[in-house]
Amino acid sequence: MDDDEGGGGDIPEWIVTFGDMMSLLLTFFIMLVSMSEIKEEEQYQAMLASMRRQFGHEASLASMIPGQSPPMNSSMQSIASMGRAKRKDIVRGGNKVKSVTGEDNLVRTIRPGQDTTVGGVIFFDEDSAELDSEARDRLQEIAAQVAGKPQKIEIRGHSTRKPTDGFDHWSLAYQRCRVTLDFLVEAGIEPKRIRLGSAGMYEPLDKRTAESSRKRNARVEVLMWDEPVDLTN
């Protein structure tokens, strides 16, 4: 007699495929949950690099395109910054989130109004209010740019945090404005177009204490604003 026991219990082939698919789906969902729990940027990037190797990204056409491939999180930087800005602006006093830092962590002073991107920055020796040859050449270029136009010109002086000898930072910054004003007037710029301002040491370009960094703050900013001046009176 033939032994047919167990013959009716054979597992269909599609069950094996279905089981493999369910195992893969379960693994995928576990991976998603694990990714949502990653808080450290270094761990996240290491995980992405591992996935790219396993899925063969290095052998794909994308990795062979000339030039640098942008990192996968590059588009997230602007989104993160937007989120911070929105949270901080909630009802004019939202959550204060620490701003993004990086290699370019220095921000130029933002002045009210709209400038026409005409002008420039003149640098001085840290303890001096005298124009050197490089500053004179730069001022000559600025004078040629702003000559004959009706807009207001602002000359704003700055100093470093280094202690001054015999006078304060406001006076030193203002003296730099004055010598810049005199040069522009001699170059043919109408005096009534010019206004002066002294920020002292309180609007630094560079907050580091090294001498090379402080020298960037010993400066005068010359900007032409989108503010007309009546030159007929």
Side-chain angles (χ1 to χ4, degrees):
M1 179 174 125
D2 295 333
D3 187 6
D4 294 330
E5 293 183 4
D10 292 340
I11 300 177
E13 294 182 358
W14 66 269
I15 290 293
V16 177
T17 304
F18 180 78
D20 291 341
M21 182 184 68
M22 295 304 296
S23 299
L24 289 174
L25 286 175
L26 179 60
T27 303
F28 178 71
F29 286 120
I30 292 175
M31 183 183 67
L32 289 179
V33 174
S34 301
M35 290 173 60
S36 67
E37 296 297 325
I38 295 178
K39 304 300 183 182
E40 298 293 334
E41 179 69 17
E42 293 182 359
Q43 296 179 2
Y44 181 73
Q45 292 299 329
M47 182 271 297
L48 289 181
S50 177
M51 290 180 61
R52 290 173 60 167
R53 287 194 300 269
Q54 294 299 323
F55 286 102
H57 177 268
E58 282 75 6
S60 67
L61 291 177
S63 64
M64 299 170 62
I65 297 175
Q68 295 182 350
S69 299
M72 297 185 67
N73 67 335
S74 61
S75 61
M76 299 300 295
Q77 296 295 334
S78 59
I79 298 177
S81 300
M82 290 171 59
R84 291 186 181 93
K86 289 181 179 179
R87 290 199 301 272
K88 192 168 183 178
D89 195 46
I90 294 176
V91 196
R92 298 298 179 182
N95 299 330
K96 294 183 178 180
V97 183
K98 187 176 181 180
S99 61
V100 180
T101 59
E103 295 180 357
D104 299 325
N105 59 340
L106 304 176
V107 181
R108 284 288 303 275
T109 301
I110 304 300
R111 303 294 304 151
Q114 296 180 348
D115 67 271
T116 58
T117 68
V118 175
V121 181
I122 308 302
F123 294 99
F124 292 79
D125 290 336
E126 196 169 8
D127 298 319
S128 173
E130 296 182 2
L131 297 170
D132 57 20
S133 58
E134 182 178 353
R136 290 177 177 275
D137 291 341
R138 182 69 183 117
L139 276 176
Q140 196 65 50
E141 295 176 0
I142 294 175
Q145 291 177 338
V146 302
K149 296 180 173 60
Q151 287 92 343
K152 177 73 74 173
I153 299 170
E154 179 178 0
I155 302 175
R156 189 167 182 83
H158 304 266
S159 67
T160 69
R161 293 182 179 273
K162 179 181 177 181
T164 58
D165 185 13
F167 48 88
D168 58 33
H169 292 277
W170 299 100
S171 300
L172 177 58
Y174 184 76
Q175 287 179 22
R176 290 169 177 167
C177 290
R178 286 293 311 182
V179 298
T180 304
L181 166 67
D182 294 339
F183 186 96
L184 291 178
V185 171
E186 290 178 4
I189 305 302
E190 297 83 353
K192 67 184 307 181
R193 292 181 57 195
I194 302 174
R195 63 168 171 240
L196 306 182
S198 174
M201 62 180 182
Y202 297 107
E203 293 181 356
L205 282 178
D206 197 329
K207 294 183 179 180
R208 293 173 291 187
T209 57
E211 182 179 359
S212 59
S213 300
R214 295 198 315 265
K215 284 184 177 180
R216 299 186 66 240
N217 300 324
R219 72 195 192 279
V220 161
E221 295 174 340
V222 182
L223 292 175
M224 186 173 72
W225 300 100
D226 189 12
E227 179 182 343
V229 178
D230 186 4
L231 299 177
T232 59
N233 296 330

